[in-house]
Amino acid sequence: MSNKIEIFDTTLRDGEQVPGCKLNTAQKLKIAEALDSLGVDVIEAGFPISSPGDFLSVTEISKVVKNATVCALSRAVKKDIETAAEALKYAVKPRIHTGIGTSESHIKYKFNSTPDKIIEQAIEAVKLAKTFVEDVEFYAEDAGRTDNAFLAKVCSAAVKAGATVLNIPDTTGYCLPDEYGAKIKYLTEHVVGIEKVKLSCHCHNDLGLATANAISGVINGARQIECTINGIGERAGNTALEEVVMILRQHPALNLTTNIKTRQLLAMSKMVSQEMGMFVQANKAIVGDNAFAHSSGIHQDGVIKNRETYEIINPSDIGVTESSIVLTARSGRSALAYRAKKVGYELTKNDLDIVYLEFLKLADNTKEVKDDDLHRLIEMSKARLEINI
Ligand code: KIV
Ligand code: ZN
């Protein structure tokens, strides 16, 4: 089995389902081009039947994307599939993503149907999609809560009908990592024709497990991860692209790789955040403002001596210029000396003792001591310092 994990980005489809994050075609084109240059393997550009605007966006994205496969979503419905195919007609590498709910709850409440009829509908959908494009991805919606034996039966039927990729969504973000991994493993052992196709992880974050579940999926044999920039998406979001990519990169023992140019990750995160007007929490893994910021004295002292004491990622690997040492009331002398040097003061040990006392008085009454405050503190104390200011 190959050790390459394909990255399927769904920022422009599942990500854009976030209330208030709607993008216009020009914004989607800008993001699609950036994703292509980031190195994603598949861009899910939209759900063309959903609106004329989305149809237009998928069409325009299909024209400009040079390297990635361009994918369009559809339900297992004739008109959806035809519309997806039409929107993809300019794509160099088009993929139709079609599927249907397979859990007991979806079959009963959403479709008022039966397991056999769901399988028939899945087969028809894949066969129809196959008349337009070679590359057809089948999704079994709510696979996370679908009985494994039935899931394997639906997936086997989809493979026989011509599916090239099987998407196993944990639509409601319910699974535990071991459970999701075991599901993927079960499918690798029970889907007829599995050797011809790729299994894909599509995990939601309702319990904060989307990233862990996707990683468990690839450890157990999936070879594609569906994810979004900054983990945005329906409800609590999807697996975050930057997280899975960096997990695989930082754990070489897993022997799994991606094509992502990680140095572009921060810029990509900022672009999506800005275009969608969706702010990234400061403590967000990999791309949050605090991901490489150190504020407690013990940590700062370690990082100043050697970055690796408290950092497992080199910030430049994701496009961050350098780690930051934030001055707060928890900071120690070494952090103060370090930051003073950065703004132009080489303090002696004696100077440091004097400035540190003043610094603590200020720091106890403020959230963060900034460069301007530092200049002021040193200027205020200059009569008592050995250095020449
Ligand atoms: O979460 C989900 O099940 C989906 C499918 C439409 C692929 O987004
Ligand atoms: Zn989803």
Side-chain angles (χ1 to χ4, degrees):
M1 191 183 279
S2 153
N3 67 351
K4 159 88 194 300
I5 302 300
E6 305 233 319
I7 296 297
F8 174 116
D9 181 278
T10 182
T11 305
L12 298 176
R13 199 278 297 169
D14 220 330
E16 207 231 8
Q17 289 174 208
V18 175
C21 285
K22 173 138 181 22
L23 300 170
N24 61 35
T25 300
Q27 290 174 306
K28 286 193 181 178
L29 276 170
K30 181 175 171 186
I31 292 176
E33 287 189 288
L35 288 169
D36 201 25
S37 116
L38 179 69
V40 308
D41 301 281
V42 185
I43 296 173
E44 187 163 48
F47 182 16
I49 192 83
S50 66
S51 74
D54 220 36
F55 181 89
L56 177 69
S57 297
V58 176
T59 308
E60 294 305 313
I61 290 170
S62 298
K63 288 180 190 166
V64 301
V65 167
K66 305 260 179 326
N67 308 302
T69 292
V70 179
C71 177
L73 185 75
S74 74
R75 291 166 298 182
V77 170
K78 187 167 180 278
K79 188 77 189 139
D80 278 35
I81 296 168
E82 289 167 350
T83 308
E86 177 66 18
L88 288 170
K89 73 176 176 210
Y90 299 106
V92 182
K93 291 188 259 174
R95 176 183 294 179
I96 293 179
H97 189 190
T98 190
I100 193 160
T102 53
S103 64
E104 242 182 79
S105 125
H106 279 224
I107 297 175
K108 192 167 157 194
Y109 301 117
K110 225 175 105 170
F111 301 115
N112 188 22
S113 186
T114 63
D116 283 347
K117 283 193 195 147
I118 291 292
I119 294 184
E120 269 170 41
Q121 225 178 312
I123 294 172
E124 288 315 306
V126 174
K127 280 190 175 162
L128 177 62
K130 208 65 188 177
T131 63
F132 298 108
V133 294
E134 169 50 33
D135 193 4
V136 176
E137 174 166 336
F138 171 75
Y139 66 83
E141 196 182 8
D142 205 15
R145 292 187 300 169
T146 300
D147 166 71
N148 284 350
F150 179 64
L151 187 58
K153 206 169 159 191
V154 185
C155 287
S156 301
V159 174
K160 194 164 172 215
T164 46
V165 180
L166 298 173
N167 179 11
I168 311 302
D170 184 21
T171 305
T172 56
Y174 177 73
C175 288
L176 295 171
D178 282 354
E179 192 184 356
Y180 188 75
K183 190 175 282 288
I184 296 291
K185 188 157 191 297
Y186 180 91
L187 295 173
T188 64
E189 290 162 355
H190 292 85
V191 171
V192 180
I194 193 71
E195 63 292 343
K196 295 184 282 194
V197 302
K198 202 173 285 153
L199 282 167
S200 181
C201 311
H202 178 114
C203 300
H204 279 268
N205 206 30
D206 300 65
L207 292 172
L209 292 172
T211 293
N213 282 343
I215 295 296
S216 180
V218 293
I219 288 173
N220 283 283
R223 283 296 171 267
Q224 177 176 279
I225 296 179
E226 309 198 0
C227 45
T228 59
I229 300 295
N230 301 334
I232 56 164
E234 190 82 31
R235 302 182 312 280
N238 290 61
T239 300
L241 181 150
E242 62 279 5
E243 293 175 12
V244 284
V245 165
M246 291 311 290
I247 289 169
L248 299 182
R249 191 174 195 276
Q250 299 308 110
H251 284 273
L254 292 175
N255 194 26
L256 297 171
T257 61
T258 73
N259 274 350
I260 298 298
K261 296 177 193 120
T262 64
R263 281 171 192 261
Q264 296 180 22
L265 283 173
L266 184 67
M268 190 75 237
S269 158
K270 287 193 183 305
M271 178 191 286
V272 168
S273 163
Q274 194 176 343
E275 296 298 333
M276 290 196 162
M278 177 94 173
F279 120 109
V280 175
Q281 71 195 54
N283 62 331
K284 167 79 184 62
I286 319 294
V287 291
D289 280 353
N290 291 350
F292 297 97
H294 306 274
S295 69
S296 94
I298 297 172
H299 290 207
Q300 290 175 331
D301 185 50
V303 170
I304 291 167
K305 287 174 177 148
N306 185 326
R307 193 190 57 74
E308 288 182 11
T309 52
Y310 286 95
E311 279 181 0
I312 57 152
I313 298 172
N314 187 335
S316 66
D317 287 351
I318 64 136
V320 173
T321 348
E322 60 174 352
S323 326
S324 53
I325 298 291
V326 183
L327 291 180
T328 70
R330 306 282 85 77
S331 299
R333 282 176 171 72
S334 62
L336 180 62
Y338 173 86
R339 282 282 301 278
K341 190 169 175 189
K342 284 237 161 217
V343 295
Y345 306 99
E346 191 86 53
L347 301 177
T348 65
K349 186 175 173 311
N350 191 40
D351 292 345
L352 194 55
D353 287 341
I354 296 167
V355 178
Y356 188 62
L357 285 180
E358 296 304 320
F359 161 77
L360 281 184
K361 284 186 214 158
L362 175 66
D364 258 339
N365 290 303
T366 186
K367 287 193 193 306
E368 186 186 332
V369 175
K370 302 266 175 57
D371 285 353
D372 283 354
D373 303 316
L374 206 51
H375 278 297
R376 223 172 325 108
L377 272 181
I378 296 175
E379 291 290 337
M380 260 168 40
S381 318
K382 77 176 173 195
R384 291 182 289 149
L385 303 184
E386 290 165 0
I387 58 161
N388 259 336
I389 296 172

